[in-house]
Amino acid sequence: MDLARFPRRRYTEGPTPLHPLPRFSATVGGGRGPAIFVKRDDLLGLAPGGNKTRKLEFLVADALAQGCDTLITCGAVQSNHCRLTLAAAIREGLRCRLLLEERVEGSYDPDAGGNNFMFRLLGAETIDVVPGGSDLMLRMAQMARDLAAQGRKAYIIPTGGSNAIGGLGYAACAQELLGQAFDLGLRIDRIVVASGSSGTHGGLVAGLWGANADIPVIGIGVSREPVQQEPLVHAEAQAVADLLELRDPVPRDRVVTVGGYWQPKYSVPNARMVEAVQLLARTEAIVLDPTYTGKAMAGLIGLVREGVLAAGQNVLFLHTGGLPAAFAEVPALLGLRAVAP
């Protein structure tokens, strides 16, 4: 699996930490659960970190190779991906335009904190907001044509940076974590990750497959149930595998997701997410976000309580970041506002 042949920008110095969560493990499992570890991709470079940084290292390198001067991307109204794409553009001296989808009606507030604040602080060239269900790729294509008419050249990045080039970031992460586990003498039995736009989950599956590493990855759905999510992740994993020219196709059974933890809607808080965020913060001083990692950790906790993840196993949680979004849900995360069950 040769990643060196792809252009890449570097936004992080060295690998992200991988370490145990002893107090969290003991609390969740009551002394009878698995040993839980975390890989801190919330500490990746760009302001202030998160999994999209790995994807952007390859996507922005591709944009620069094509001579582009503007990045265009899209996401939800508190999109971590949009914030990190904007940060990468600043690092490279590029301009950036954002297209925000109001997936929950009435959820966009231009004066909100969290990533909305970061969009303004970092200086997005434009921020356009469209209703949920809009054809985002069509809208971004029109934005690119408008810029071309001005003599500029735009590079369009899909939601979450989730395409084959972006997925290379998590194929690289697979290599990184395997090296860390070897150096630590750590056997990893399961990896748990938030599964949304599919780039992180699919890229990780492809990277492990390409490295001949038989470690199951469990994706906790943050916006869809398994029947809708798993085909998307498998398609992404195969697209990354094809780009890497892997000899064998990615088996369908390598993609496993768990549903039931994201309801009532994408990005809307629920009680299990709040419990997970509070528990990790108060046992290990690590902060999760309400949209992705909070719901993914709620899924991990649920799997421990159901006995799916059990004593004797070493379980790695991939912390994909999202810190700014926590500041947009302060009342919910502190238990000061009622949330869905």
Side-chain angles (χ1 to χ4, degrees), residues 22-35:
R23 285 162 293 282
F24 181 78
S25 299
T27 303
V28 170
R32 299 180 298 278

Side-chain angles (χ1 to χ4, degrees), residues 3 10 16 18 55 74 81 92 102 115 174 180 193 221 236 246 259 261 276 286 298 300 304 309 318-319:
L3 286 161
R10 294 284 186 161
T16 58
L18 191 163
K55 302 178 186 183
C74 60
H81 166 68
E92 301 293 355
E102 195 176 45
N115 283 315
Q180 287 177 297
V193 63
E236 171 71 7
L246 300 185
Y261 289 91
I286 296 174
L300 186 155
V304 172
L309 303 176
L318 183 59
H319 188 340

Side-chain angles (χ1 to χ4, degrees), residues 43-250:
L43 300 179
L44 285 164
L46 301 178
N51 62 321
K52 313 305 183 187
T53 296
R54 290 191 188 272
K55 302 178 186 183
L56 288 162
E57 290 185 339
F58 290 93
L59 290 163
V60 175
D62 188 47
L64 292 171
Q66 295 183 34
C68 297
D69 57 35
T70 305
L71 303 181
I72 297 175
T73 199
C74 60
V77 297
Q78 280 285 345
S79 171
N80 297 306
H81 166 68
C82 285
R83 180 245 308 160
L84 285 167
T85 300
L86 175 54
I90 293 168
R91 285 281 294 273
E92 301 293 355
L94 305 175
R95 284 173 280 187
C96 183
R97 296 191 170 195
L98 304 178
L99 181 65
L100 304 183
E101 181 186 13
E102 195 176 45
R103 297 175 187 175
V104 177
E105 187 176 355
S107 60
Y108 177 69
D109 177 0
D111 297 321
N115 283 315
N116 279 186
F117 163 71
M118 295 296 293
F119 301 155
R120 290 177 292 146
L121 179 65
L122 294 171
E125 185 176 31
T126 61
I127 301 173
D128 294 336
V129 182
V130 296
S134 297
D135 189 329
L136 301 179
M137 291 302 293
L138 183 65
R139 294 290 292 261
M140 290 194 294
Q142 182 59 56
M143 293 166 70
R145 286 192 292 270
D146 293 343
L147 288 173
Q150 302 171 29
R152 293 167 59 181
K153 187 173 183 180
Y155 185 87
I156 295 173
I157 299 176
T159 302
S162 294
N163 60 16
I165 294 174
L168 292 173
Y170 271 87
C173 179
Q175 291 184 330
E176 180 178 301
L177 70 86
L178 289 171
Q180 287 177 297
F182 177 78
D183 290 342
L184 293 169
L186 173 65
R187 183 195 76 250
I188 301 174
D189 298 301
R190 296 284 191 279
I191 299 172
V192 176
V193 63
S195 189
S197 61
S198 78
T200 299
H201 187 176
L204 190 60
V205 168
L208 292 170
W209 176 246
N212 297 311
D214 191 19
I215 303 174
V217 180
I218 302 174
I220 309 298
V222 297
S223 57
R224 303 176 191 89
E225 289 297 285
V227 67
Q228 293 90 27
Q229 184 67 8
E230 290 181 2
L232 296 177
V233 176
H234 185 256
E236 171 71 7
Q238 189 57 54
V240 175
D242 291 343
L243 189 58
L244 288 167
E245 299 178 351
L246 300 185
R247 182 179 60 186
D248 298 318
V250 178

